Amino acid sequence: MEPRWSSPDDALARVSDIVGAPLAELLERTSRTLGSLVRHTAAAQLSEVCAYAPKQAVGTDRDLAARITHDELGQLAFRVRVGAPFWGEAVLGGERRAVLGVAAAHAGKGGALLALTGLRTTAPPPPAVLRTVQRVWDLVTVYTYRLTAEALPSHTSVSRVAAAARAAVLTELADAHGAALTGVLTALRAPALDDAAARAAATDLAVDALAALRRMTYWNRQLSEEDADTAFHRGARELRPLVRHRAVGLALRPPGSGRSVPSDTAHTARAATRTVALALLEQEGVERMHVGWWMEGDTLRIAVRDDGPGRPSEDEAVVPANVAERVAALEGTVTLDPVPDWGTTVTLTLPLGAPAGARTAAAPTAAAAAGPGRTAGPDRAAPGNGGPHGLHSLHPREAHVLEQVSLGRRNREIARALGISESTVKFHVSNILAKLGVTTRGEAAALTRTWGP
């Protein structure tokens, strides 16, 4: 180990260099930093923590890095225990070679494997070096989880596209294994092989192909999906400390559906629920709070309700901008419904399908039906092709706001008439336009005249 790693200042400087990297460059920065401890030419990761890019490989030997497969890392992951560095041989890049593997997990929120290969020596590093590598990877895993859990909308959107890309890769793998099964038939029909030899060759081909396919399917599910109830209860553990020292009762309603949700949707749902709950708790007079998740078709609906005053002021950001942005990045919606003297309900809806940027060629058909400049979505309907349904889907408070809009009143006048803040009116108007599939207040008012209240 280089002497400078023994210096706290130098070690902190190296770690600081790693955590200063953006998510897409984190593995490369980690590999470069650890290169002074364990000389290697390729580094790869397989991470359940990061839905953005669960499998990555980098290195000065780009050819080796490019040949490391998801399946090879999956097999290595079964041999490496969290907190116990592995030094030995494994198949990476299509060949058996020396590997240093370390695994870490962040508070039950998923594990991450780091594999260093293309090593300059076959002798294992000293225990002190292995401990340092393990600690660095522990830190990177925690940091990756935080980046993912508090992802910017741009990261969230890219994550959905990455999930769709993984699905495409699975399709390609299925084709590849289809070719392998064709090889089985070829072996069985080969005139040069007797029955026993043909059966043996076919059996070997089939076992290898099916085992690899099962491993790939297992790892894709682990990396890109979360059980909805498990995701909810992870979020619940983050909510309980918020009320631990307050006289507030917390009621929780898990989805209880047995279904899965995309990992990035689960991250967004937990972060949004936590942030909204904290904002509601800042109000005076809150004694009870209810948090529930519902799986409704292809949508996850989240409701956070309190029994507070129900009169958020202009300077109370009940739905912070970062929550609205993250939900919008997944093409979801946010609805704020304060009722004076009864409390406030914040409802978030998150679609479970891929966003428009990751959809197949069939998606433009739905978008085209909405008309120029409009977007079709879970809560949106094109005028003339779903207007009544859109009107009937409005929340009662949204219907009251739409009635005021149809009278030509501006936000300030509506706020004064309904006894709510102007910012709340803006939230309602935005959701009304989205649900009706229109882009202007005038179009929304025209719908009310066409279809009636």
Side-chain angles (χ1 to χ4, degrees):
M1 181 171 62
E2 289 187 359
R4 289 185 301 167
W5 269 96
S6 299
S7 163
D9 287 343
D10 184 69
L12 288 173
R14 292 171 186 266
V15 170
S16 177
D17 181 62
I18 294 176
V19 299
L23 189 59
E25 300 175 13
L26 195 56
L27 178 61
E28 185 174 1
R29 194 78 62 88
T30 301
S31 174
R32 186 168 64 243
T33 300
L34 292 178
S36 61
L37 288 173
V38 180
R39 296 189 179 279
H40 60 279
T41 60
Q45 74 167 23
L46 186 63
S47 172
E48 296 178 38
V49 174
C50 180
Y52 169 69
K55 180 262 177 181
Q56 286 184 321
V58 300
T60 56
D61 188 342
R62 295 184 179 181
D63 180 63
L64 171 57
R67 287 187 286 111
I68 296 175
T69 69
H70 192 294
D71 185 44
E72 290 171 343
L73 291 173
Q75 293 186 62
L76 177 61
F78 285 112
R79 302 171 62 188
V80 184
R81 293 185 295 108
V82 171
F86 166 86
W87 179 275
E89 288 191 347
V91 175
L92 287 180
E95 299 178 13
R96 180 167 292 279
R97 58 185 81 242
V99 174
L100 170 59
V102 289
H106 175 57
K109 295 180 174 64
L113 169 74
L114 172 68
L116 304 180
T117 191
L119 303 173
R120 301 295 177 84
T121 177
T122 57
V129 170
L130 294 177
R131 286 195 299 270
T132 300
V133 173
Q134 180 70 61
R135 294 293 178 263
V136 170
W137 188 240
D138 289 342
L139 176 64
V140 171
T141 300
V142 173
Y143 178 62
T144 302
Y145 171 75
R146 291 302 178 191
L147 280 180
T148 304
E150 306 297 338
L152 296 174
S154 58
H155 286 162
T156 303
S157 181
V158 169
S159 178
R160 302 303 297 273
V161 176
R166 286 199 300 275
V169 170
L170 278 180
T171 300
E172 294 175 3
L173 286 169
D175 291 340
H177 286 295
L181 294 176
T182 300
V184 170
L185 290 176
T186 301
L188 291 174
R189 295 171 177 171
L193 299 176
D194 59 30
D195 288 348
R199 283 197 300 272
T203 300
D204 289 343
L205 286 169
V207 168
D208 290 344
L210 290 175
L213 181 59
R214 287 169 181 155
R215 285 193 299 268
M216 290 299 295
T217 303
Y218 168 79
W219 279 105
N220 182 74
R221 186 177 298 113
Q222 292 296 309
L223 298 173
S224 62
E225 298 178 3
E226 282 192 47
D227 174 77
D229 286 284
T230 300
F232 176 86
H233 289 299
R234 286 180 177 174
R237 287 197 295 270
E238 297 172 350
L239 289 177
R240 289 191 179 95
L242 301 182
V243 299
R244 183 171 298 156
H245 302 293
R246 305 170 187 247
V248 176
L250 179 62
L252 301 171
R253 195 266 186 197
S257 66
R259 293 175 57 187
S260 296
V261 296
S263 293
D264 53 297
T265 300
H267 285 311
T268 297
R270 285 193 294 265
T273 301
R274 181 178 64 250
T275 304
V276 169
L278 184 59
L280 291 177
L281 287 170
E282 293 302 315
Q283 303 174 105
E284 294 185 1
V286 175
E287 296 181 353
R288 288 192 61 79
M289 176 172 289
H290 181 278
V291 176
W293 287 15
W294 288 262
M295 304 289 285
E296 300 174 339
D298 292 330
T299 301
L300 169 62
R301 179 167 65 90
I302 303 166
V304 184
R305 184 175 71 249
D306 69 19
D307 64 349
R311 296 185 178 88
S313 63
E314 291 288 344
D315 58 351
E316 286 180 326
V318 174
V319 182
N322 64 328
V323 170
E325 290 173 358
R326 289 192 64 178
V327 171
L330 295 182
E331 298 182 355
T333 62
V334 179
T335 302
L336 177 66
D337 184 34
V339 180
D341 301 321
W342 284 90
T344 300
T345 300
V346 178
T347 304
L348 305 98
T349 61
L350 296 171
L352 300 178
R359 290 176 189 147
T360 62
T365 304
R374 300 178 184 135
T375 303
D379 295 316
R380 301 183 182 185
N385 190 32
H389 172 75
L391 289 172
H392 293 161
S393 70
L394 296 181
H395 191 279
R397 180 51 64 97
E398 291 171 344
H400 295 157
V401 172
L402 178 57
E403 181 182 2
Q404 297 289 317
V405 169
S406 68
L407 296 175
R409 293 176 177 169
R410 311 312 300 168
N411 289 348
R412 183 171 300 177
E413 296 173 306
I414 297 173
R416 189 162 47 247
L418 299 181
I420 58 180
S421 69
E422 190 172 347
S423 62
T424 301
V425 174
K426 292 178 182 177
F427 270 114
H428 285 319
V429 171
S430 176
N431 284 316
I432 289 168
L433 298 182
K435 288 184 177 182
L436 298 184
V438 298
T439 57
T440 68
R441 299 162 72 101
E443 288 179 295
L447 278 184
T448 65
R449 291 192 289 271
T450 301
W451 298 103

